[in-house]
Amino acid sequence: VLDFELKILGSSSATPSVSRFPTSQILTIGNQINLIDCGEGTQMQLMRFKIKPQRICNIFISHMHGDHYFGLFGLISSMQLQGRTASLNLFGPPGLSELLSLSLRYSNTHLAFQINFRELDQSVYQQIHEEHFFTVHALPMEHRVSCCGFLFREKPKLRHLLKGAFPPNLSPSQLLKLKHGEDLYDEAGQVLLRHKDVTCDPRPSRSYAYFSDTRYNEDLLPYIRHVDLLYHEATFMDDLRHRAVQTFHSTARQAAELAAKAQVRQLLIGHFSVRYKDLTPLLEEARLYFPNTQLAVEGTTVRVSDELIKAV
Ligand SMILES: [Zn+2]
C-alpha cells in the first residue's frame, strides 16, 4: 500500500512567532514529495523533520501573501547550491514566476535545473496536475487576493484478482481486462468469465483537501464530500467572526461546520492568529461541531490509511 501522509511544517498566520512557523506542509504520496505552501522557515523545518529538499518534486503555492511563500526563494536557492539537477514543478498564482525570475536575475543565478511553472487560474475548480498515482485540483478560495486550495486524490485502483478463482491459462491482457472490471468473452460472444466472479473491489482511493486562507464558503462542498482528510484554516475563534468576515478568514467553528457538512473523515485546523498563545480553546470549539478534529501544529503527522486515519 502506498504511503499517503501529511506532515505539518508550520501553520501560523501573518507575522512570525517564536514558537510557531508560518504555513507549509509536506504531503507524501508513494515516493513523491509535495510541498504545499512555503512560508519563512520552511527550510529549517525540512531539516528538523529530515526531509530532503532535493526529493521535493512538486510545490504548490496557494496565494501571494508572504506567510505562504516567503520561504520559496531561499528553498530554491538552496536546491541550486546543493546541486539539484532534477526538474521541479511549481504551481502558483500570477506574478509568482515573475518575482522568482527577478530574484534569480538580480542575484545572477543560473539554475542548473528546470522549473516547470504552471500559472493557476484560481477562480475555477479544475484539474491542475496529474501524476501516476494521483491528481491535483485547484479549489477556489474566497480571500483578499486571488487564492486557491488544493485537492489531492488517488486515482481509482484496479480490482483485485481473487487467488485460485480464475483458470491458470489466462493471458496477461485477459487478466488486465478483469482487473479493469471487464468480462471476458469467447469468439462466439458468449461470456467466458465474469469479472465479479474472480475479482473483488479495489481499495478506496484516498484524498486530502487543503483550504489555505478563505472565508467560510459552502460552494466547494460538492468537491470535498467524503474526503479522508480536510485541512481548513481557523484563524480566529467564533467570538471574532466579524473579524474573520472582514479579513476573509474563518473561525474554528466554521471550519468544523464545513467538515461536518462535507462529511469528511478527519479535520485539521490551522493558520492560527498569533493572538492565541494557547490553542486548546480553538480545538475545543471545533470539536463541538466536528469531534474528529486535531490541531495542525508543527510536526503533526497524519497517515491516511484505508481502514482508519492514524495520527502518529
Ligand atoms: Zn492570506
Side-chain angles (χ1 to χ4, degrees), residues 63 65 67-68 143-145 213 249 271:
H63 67 300
H65 283 153
D67 53 335
H68 293 259
H143 199 41
R144 293 193 305 281
V145 295
D213 282 20
H249 286 297
H271 201 261

Side-chain angles (χ1 to χ4, degrees), residues 152-177:
F152 297 81
R153 209 182 266 288
E154 255 187 314
K155 289 183 183 172
K157 297 165 193 159
L158 296 178
R159 299 181 64 78
H160 281 294
L161 289 166
L162 295 168
K163 261 194 195 135
F166 52 91
N169 57 347
L170 295 180
S171 71
S173 71
Q174 285 176 312
L175 289 172
L176 198 60
K177 273 190 177 165

